[in-house]
Amino acid sequence: MDPPIQRTISTEGKGIAELAEAIARHVAHLTHSGGWAIRERARLEVELDALIQETLVSRFREQVSQSQYEDALTKMIQRKMSPWEAVKLLMNGG
């Protein structure tokens, strides 16, 4: 359910109370329909995945030397190695 467009004129204070009421009705609808929980779960899943990725990349970078990383990147730039080959090389200890 898409909420209706609520016209306001903020400089004149018009429509603000009606907007607040419309927002409250929409929140109530999402809460009662389960939509709020679905959206919250999706948001938290994205946040968790981002934190996992950040942590894994940090751990990876601690284990792979900068020279190994640069060597793989150079080989990719020179088209001597595909990105997937570089990942496999770096993940297996260079």
Side-chain angles (χ1 to χ4, degrees):
M1 173 181 160
D2 290 332
I5 294 173
Q6 187 69 41
R7 298 204 183 274
T8 62
I9 303 174
S10 62
T11 56
E12 297 176 15
K14 293 184 178 179
I16 304 302
E18 294 83 359
L19 176 61
E21 289 172 19
I23 291 171
R25 283 193 307 271
H26 188 60
V27 168
H29 167 74
L30 288 175
T31 301
H32 295 303
S33 70
W36 190 276
I38 291 168
R39 290 175 186 208
E40 181 73 359
R41 184 186 192 291
R43 183 189 64 75
L44 290 172
E45 184 176 14
V46 167
E47 185 177 344
L48 178 60
D49 285 350
L51 289 170
I52 289 170
Q53 287 176 348
E54 182 180 316
T55 301
L56 289 173
V57 168
S58 292
R59 287 182 185 173
F60 169 79
R61 293 304 296 257
E62 288 173 1
Q63 295 174 1
V64 173
S65 72
Q66 187 63 31
S67 64
Q68 289 172 309
Y69 185 86
E70 290 294 330
D71 183 51
L73 182 58
T74 299
K75 288 178 181 173
M76 286 174 45
I77 291 168
Q78 295 170 345
R79 305 287 192 239
K80 294 180 179 177
M81 184 181 293
S82 73
W84 283 111
E85 290 170 325
V87 168
K88 286 170 61 176
L89 177 70
L90 292 170
M91 296 300 290
N92 292 324

